[in-house]
């Protein structure tokens, strides 16, 4: 499920989780592993999701596995664009951006870092080495990206967030390896 919460806090989260579990006839007792995105992302959103997953997992000592949200998003956009890599950019504030590129392998569900996290200025965007770029901060930096990302780079327009499916698949593939 995807929803936009217009309030300051994710007050719909537990109602949505309850409805999703009902829709798929799943009880929380059947869940053996919880997977959670570790960011980068909204501080409040990350705090809420980490607290929620702990609340579900701790009573029965269930496992929790964290995956980089940027890595899962890179997998989503590289698969969508049929590229072997995805570069994720975010607003670090104070005229800086954070950026990281991931190599995504289709033969087995995996993504690995092709670069370290970098803190750059917008002046450095035209020299970015990437095949496809996406951001979850489109509202704040979308127009900047449109104006400076070179035409040779595919820019996924609009706000993108990682899918729960990709977070889960990346976690399971890592655990199995």
């Amino acid at each position: 499920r995807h929803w936009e919460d217009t309030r300051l806090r994710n007050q719909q989260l537990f109602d949505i989780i309850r409805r999703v579990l009902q829709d798929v006839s799943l009880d929380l007792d059947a869940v053996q592993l919880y997977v959670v995105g570790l960011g980068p992302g909204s501080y409040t959103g990350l705090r809420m999701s980490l607290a929620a997953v702990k609340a579900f997992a701790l009573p029965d000592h269930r496992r929790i596995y964290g995956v980089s949200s940027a890595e899962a998003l890179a997998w989503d956009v590289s698969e969508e664009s049929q590229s072997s890599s995805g570069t994720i950019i975010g607003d670090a504030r104070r005229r800086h951006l954070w950026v990281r590129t991931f190599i995504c392998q289709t033969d087995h569900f995996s993504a690995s870092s092709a670069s370290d996290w970098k803190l750059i200025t917008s002046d450095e965007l035209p020299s970015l080495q990437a095949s496809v770029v996406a951001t979850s901060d489109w509202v704040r930096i979308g127009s900047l990206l449109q104006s400076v990302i070179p035409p040779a780079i595919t820019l996924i327009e609009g706000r993108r967030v990682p899918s729960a499916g990709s977070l889960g698949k990346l976690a399971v593939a890592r655990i199995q390896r």
Side-chain angles (χ1 to χ4, degrees), residues 76-128:
D76 287 340
V77 299
S78 68
E79 187 175 50
E80 176 183 315
S81 66
Q82 298 181 346
S83 173
S84 62
S85 67
T87 299
I88 308 303
I89 298 175
D91 185 6
R93 309 293 200 279
R94 297 183 183 174
R95 293 186 282 262
H96 283 85
L97 304 163
W98 53 259
V99 61
R100 190 169 199 181
T101 298
F102 297 89
I103 301 297
C104 303
Q105 299 173 355
T106 55
D107 55 336
H108 58 286
F109 204 90
S110 72
S112 57
S113 300
S115 69
D116 291 329
W117 289 108
K118 294 178 186 171
L119 192 60
I120 64 171
T121 65
S122 58
D123 295 340
E124 297 172 80
L125 283 172
S127 63
L128 187 66

